[in-house]
Amino acid sequence: MSGVAEEPRRDGAAVRRAAPAPAPGAPRTAVPGACGGAVIAAVYVPAAALACWSLGRTLWDGLAEPGIALAFGVLITVGELVGHGPAPAAGGARVPGVREGAPLGAAGALAYALLGAAAGRPTTHGVHQIVAVILAAGLVGLVPRLARGAAPALDPLARRVLTTGFAATCFQPLYNTGTLGSWMASGPVYPVFLIALLALTALCDAVLVAALARARTGWPYGPLLRDELRALLGIGSAVCATGVVISLATAVAGLWALPVFCLPLLLTQFAFRRFAGVRATYRQTIASLARSTEIAGYTPHGHARRVAALSRAVGRELGLNEPDLDVLEHAALMHDIGQLSLLDPVPDGATAPLPPAEQRRIALLGGAVVRQTGVPAEVAVIVERQADPYREQPVTARIVRTVNAYDDLSGKSAGPGGALRALERLRLSTARDHEPRVVEALARVLACGGRAV
């Protein structure tokens, strides 16, 4: 099994031991494999080639309409600076439905790619200048990150170069040859063309996001792509609509349209940052409540945090979407809250040796406490059904049950090789207590170093 190393013994034999896993909740730092590296190269090489060609062609031909290029460059740069600043995170995980980190910058880039006129006068910039301006603005937006010592976020920049280059290539030649002008006079053909172009551009971006995430994390591609497509209905549609409105308004009113029509998206972006802060505070409150069992001595230190991080990773391995992963994480944090009803703590906080009736009572009391915290009802249901046979549980409850048992069995008292023995005991208990699919997903996660999200 990968993730299991062999340790030599004095007699020349080898002892298998579990490879150390990263701290629970920490981002996965594994180097992408050969397949992941090929996917990353398949995105970065065309983006770099397009960027080099665009910069070289722009320097050779000179900058057309430098005022317009500067205005859109500043707009994209401001969007990058506002979007990639130090914003609160929702428990270290990506917030569901929010895919674009700098929506104002993305809208400005799309608007420049679809710009055919300014204040009634046709523009003469080509695809190469559009990509060059977007690239320059994106590089300037990375400067504050580098100044803070953070790693440069090159994935969004590579995606933006490719997607806006695609949109500009589809739009600019048709506009410059007058083809789009004839479509405008023929009724709904022009708006249908714009909608189709925006849909294809957004779809390409979603595919690239999911592919890069899959290459860097190893998470299943299908759920990642599903989450990205779902996000298109949220901030993605706002970015596309704002980009089109800016380009159309600039064609009529000139550059004055930029600040006017960017303001709603900018306010939305600030509102989301506040929403993300509220979510982070909400999760911290749940985590603090979950620690009450540790402070009272009912569960080992860090148990709830480890179970929550590993449960989220197993849920990701099984293809759960982001909302379900959030529910799963909250339930995993609070799964032991019912132990506060015990007069005396059970050894190591493990309730498995208790009679089924006592396990059921603890689970029901824990669910009642969770319902008083204001979390979604699904969280309380997962906590309440921890003592049920797994065939009667939802998949999220099965994950928490199995991961909780693994953490109990592989604790400090398990000694060397405890992780392997814990997995073997879980496999032997798949007749009633643990679903085989969940146990094998846990094994795959542990084999990859206990990847967390």
Side-chain angles (χ1 to χ4, degrees), residues 81-93:
L81 296 177
V82 173
H84 294 301

PDB file of all heavy atoms in Angstrom, residues 81-93:
ATOM      1  N   LEU A  81      -5.977  43.332  -7.062  1.00  0.00           N
ATOM      2  CA  LEU A  81      -5.528  43.738  -5.732  1.00  0.00           C
ATOM      3  C   LEU A  81      -6.637  43.577  -4.702  1.00  0.00           C
ATOM      4  O   LEU A  81      -6.396  43.126  -3.571  1.00  0.00           O
ATOM      5  CB  LEU A  81      -5.040  45.187  -5.766  1.00  0.00           C
ATOM      6  CG  LEU A  81      -3.801  45.458  -6.630  1.00  0.00           C
ATOM      7  CD1 LEU A  81      -3.475  46.933  -6.643  1.00  0.00           C
ATOM      8  CD2 LEU A  81      -2.610  44.653  -6.108  1.00  0.00           C
ATOM      9  N   VAL A  82      -7.853  43.923  -5.076  1.00  0.00           N
ATOM     10  CA  VAL A  82      -8.971  43.806  -4.135  1.00  0.00           C
ATOM     11  C   VAL A  82      -9.344  42.345  -3.923  1.00  0.00           C
ATOM     12  O   VAL A  82      -9.651  41.915  -2.802  1.00  0.00           O
ATOM     13  CB  VAL A  82     -10.186  44.601  -4.650  1.00  0.00           C
ATOM     14  CG1 VAL A  82     -11.409  44.360  -3.770  1.00  0.00           C
ATOM     15  CG2 VAL A  82      -9.862  46.087  -4.683  1.00  0.00           C
ATOM     16  N   GLY A  83      -9.298  41.557  -4.998  1.00  0.00           N
ATOM     17  CA  GLY A  83      -9.751  40.175  -4.903  1.00  0.00           C
ATOM     18  C   GLY A  83      -8.779  39.268  -4.202  1.00  0.00           C
ATOM     19  O   GLY A  83      -9.181  38.336  -3.506  1.00  0.00           O
ATOM     20  N   HIS A  84      -7.476  39.502  -4.346  1.00  0.00           N
ATOM     21  CA  HIS A  84      -6.485  38.587  -3.786  1.00  0.00           C
ATOM     22  C   HIS A  84      -5.822  39.151  -2.546  1.00  0.00           C
ATOM     23  O   HIS A  84      -4.757  38.710  -2.161  1.00  0.00           O
ATOM     24  CB  HIS A  84      -5.410  38.247  -4.826  1.00  0.00           C
ATOM     25  CG  HIS A  84      -5.952  37.464  -5.979  1.00  0.00           C
ATOM     26  ND1 HIS A  84      -6.571  36.248  -5.809  1.00  0.00           N
ATOM     27  CD2 HIS A  84      -5.983  37.719  -7.312  1.00  0.00           C
ATOM     28  CE1 HIS A  84      -6.950  35.787  -6.993  1.00  0.00           C
ATOM     29  NE2 HIS A  84      -6.604  36.656  -7.914  1.00  0.00           N
ATOM     30  N   GLY A  85      -6.442  40.121  -1.924  1.00  0.00           N
ATOM     31  CA  GLY A  85      -5.914  40.629  -0.671  1.00  0.00           C
ATOM     32  C   GLY A  85      -6.162  39.652   0.450  1.00  0.00           C
ATOM     33  O   GLY A  85      -6.779  38.608   0.300  1.00  0.00           O
ATOM     34  N   PRO A  86      -5.688  39.968   1.672  1.00  0.00           N
ATOM     35  CA  PRO A  86      -5.887  39.055   2.796  1.00  0.00           C
ATOM     36  C   PRO A  86      -7.331  39.023   3.220  1.00  0.00           C
ATOM     37  O   PRO A  86      -7.824  39.897   3.908  1.00  0.00           O
ATOM     38  CB  PRO A  86      -4.993  39.650   3.901  1.00  0.00           C
ATOM     39  CG  PRO A  86      -4.837  41.083   3.538  1.00  0.00           C
ATOM     40  CD  PRO A  86      -4.932  41.177   2.051  1.00  0.00           C
ATOM     41  N   ALA A  87      -8.059  38.045   2.764  1.00  0.00           N
ATOM     42  CA  ALA A  87      -9.464  37.899   3.081  1.00  0.00           C
ATOM     43  C   ALA A  87      -9.664  36.725   4.001  1.00  0.00           C
ATOM     44  O   ALA A  87      -8.944  35.757   3.975  1.00  0.00           O
ATOM     45  CB  ALA A  87     -10.289  37.699   1.795  1.00  0.00           C
ATOM     46  N   PRO A  88     -10.647  36.794   4.878  1.00  0.00           N
ATOM     47  CA  PRO A  88     -10.895  35.669   5.756  1.00  0.00           C
ATOM     48  C   PRO A  88     -11.382  34.472   4.988  1.00  0.00           C
ATOM     49  O   PRO A  88     -12.063  34.577   3.991  1.00  0.00           O
ATOM     50  CB  PRO A  88     -11.999  36.197   6.699  1.00  0.00           C
ATOM     51  CG  PRO A  88     -12.646  37.298   5.944  1.00  0.00           C
ATOM     52  CD  PRO A  88     -11.625  37.886   5.058  1.00  0.00           C
ATOM     53  N   ALA A  89     -11.017  33.335   5.429  1.00  0.00           N
ATOM     54  CA  ALA A  89     -11.407  32.082   4.783  1.00  0.00           C
ATOM     55  C   ALA A  89     -12.425  31.369   5.630  1.00  0.00           C
ATOM     56  O   ALA A  89     -12.495  31.527   6.820  1.00  0.00           O
ATOM     57  CB  ALA A  89     -10.183  31.192   4.555  1.00  0.00           C
ATOM     58  N   ALA A  90     -13.207  30.580   5.004  1.00  0.00           N
ATOM     59  CA  ALA A  90     -14.242  29.818   5.699  1.00  0.00           C
ATOM     60  C   ALA A  90     -13.675  28.486   6.149  1.00  0.00           C
ATOM     61  O   ALA A  90     -13.799  27.467   5.530  1.00  0.00           O
ATOM     62  CB  ALA A  90     -15.443  29.613   4.792  1.00  0.00           C
ATOM     63  N   GLY A  91     -13.005  28.546   7.288  1.00  0.00           N
ATOM     64  CA  GLY A  91     -12.494  27.303   7.835  1.00  0.00           C
ATOM     65  C   GLY A  91     -11.392  26.668   7.030  1.00  0.00           C
ATOM     66  O   GLY A  91     -11.145  25.490   7.100  1.00  0.00           O
ATOM     67  N   GLY A  92     -10.688  27.482   6.262  1.00  0.00           N
ATOM     68  CA  GLY A  92      -9.609  26.938   5.475  1.00  0.00           C
ATOM     69  C   GLY A  92     -10.050  26.275   4.205  1.00  0.00           C
ATOM     70  O   GLY A  92      -9.250  25.805   3.419  1.00  0.00           O
ATOM     71  N   ALA A  93     -11.341  26.215   3.961  1.00  0.00           N
ATOM     72  CA  ALA A  93     -11.851  25.573   2.755  1.00  0.00           C
ATOM     73  C   ALA A  93     -12.463  26.610   1.844  1.00  0.00           C
ATOM     74  O   ALA A  93     -12.812  27.704   2.256  1.00  0.00           O
ATOM     75  CB  ALA A  93     -12.900  24.518   3.114  1.00  0.00           C
TER      76      ALA A  93
END
